[in-house]
Every structure is written in structure tokens, then in C-alpha cells.
Amino acid sequence: MRYRFTLAVMTAAAVLTGCAKHAASDAPDEFAAGPTQIDVSHIKTRADDGSSVFLTVDGKDAGRLPNGESKLLHVPAGKHQVGGYVPTLFGLGRVTIAPVEVTTSPEDVKKVAYTVTRNKATFVENKGEQG
């Protein structure tokens, strides 16, 4: 009987841990104002499981990016690393997606796309679509 109770408690704790609110959703205030902009899009693909990605800029949480949506980040001019991560099952860890380096300037909005192809998640700069 104890074994079943212990198993039930551990399962409930794991499920509730996965439902916990992520601190990344509170972080976007830092990226709400600034002289330059980065427009990050989460491109829908067949290989994507529909999970949201949590964006990072220079290693700092920049907010949640749901599948099929875009997020405009305001940053100082210069070089920045735009990357992210996806929480693992039950929120016990995370899978980090390698960042892409972009150089921002006040003259244009940098466009970055997050895509999943053949089970590989990547961030890429859309160089032909600035403006």
C-alpha cells in the first residue's frame, strides 16, 4: 500500500512541477524598449511538435515564443546572440538551441527565424528580408 501511495505522490509532484510558471515569461520587460529591433518568428513545420520556445538574447531570458507567432525584441545596437531553449518533459530540465549572431543597427529590423527540420531545431537570420 505504501508503494502505491509513494508512487502516486511522486507522479503528482512531477506533473505539478511541469505546470509551474516559467520565469522567462516575466523577463520581456528588459527587451520592450531599445534603439534597435530583432523580429523573431517561430516557423511552423511538419517536424515541429508545436512546443513553445523560450527566447534568450545574450544569455538572458527574453520571453516565450509560441509556435507560428513572432516576437519583436528591442536591444542596444551591436552584436547579439539570439537563441533559446525548450523545457523537457515535466519541466525538470531544458534543451538548449544554439544561438545565431546578429548585428543590429537603428536603420533596420533584423529578422530571425526559429525552425525545426528533421528533428533539428535552429535559429537563422533572414538576411534577404531586412527593412
Side-chain angles (χ1 to χ4, degrees), residues 31-39 72-80 102-110:
F31 300 100
T36 65
Q37 299 174 351
I38 303 171
D39 185 8
L72 192 61
L73 304 172
H74 298 265
V75 295
K79 290 185 179 186
H80 299 282
V102 295
T103 303
T104 61
S105 67
E107 292 82 38
D108 62 355
V109 175
K110 291 292 180 177

Side-chain angles (χ1 to χ4, degrees), residues 29-97:
D29 293 341
E30 181 178 348
F31 300 100
T36 65
Q37 299 174 351
I38 303 171
D39 185 8
V40 185
S41 299
H42 187 160
I43 308 300
K44 288 184 182 183
T45 65
R46 286 183 169 208
D48 198 326
D49 67 359
S51 299
S52 293
V53 64
F54 289 85
L55 296 174
T56 60
V57 176
D58 301 328
K60 297 179 185 175
D61 284 340
R64 183 174 160 263
L65 182 61
N67 194 2
E69 295 189 19
S70 295
K71 186 168 193 69
L72 192 61
L73 304 172
H74 298 265
V75 295
K79 290 185 179 186
H80 299 282
Q81 297 284 328
V82 179
Y85 61 91
V86 178
T88 58
L89 188 62
F90 303 123
L92 299 176
R94 63 185 184 181
V95 176
T96 302
I97 298 103

Side-chain angles (χ1 to χ4, degrees), residues 9-30:
V9 169
M10 289 177 59
T11 302
V15 169
L16 292 175
T17 301
C19 295
K21 223 175 193 185
H22 296 278
S25 61
D26 299 331
D29 293 341
E30 181 178 348

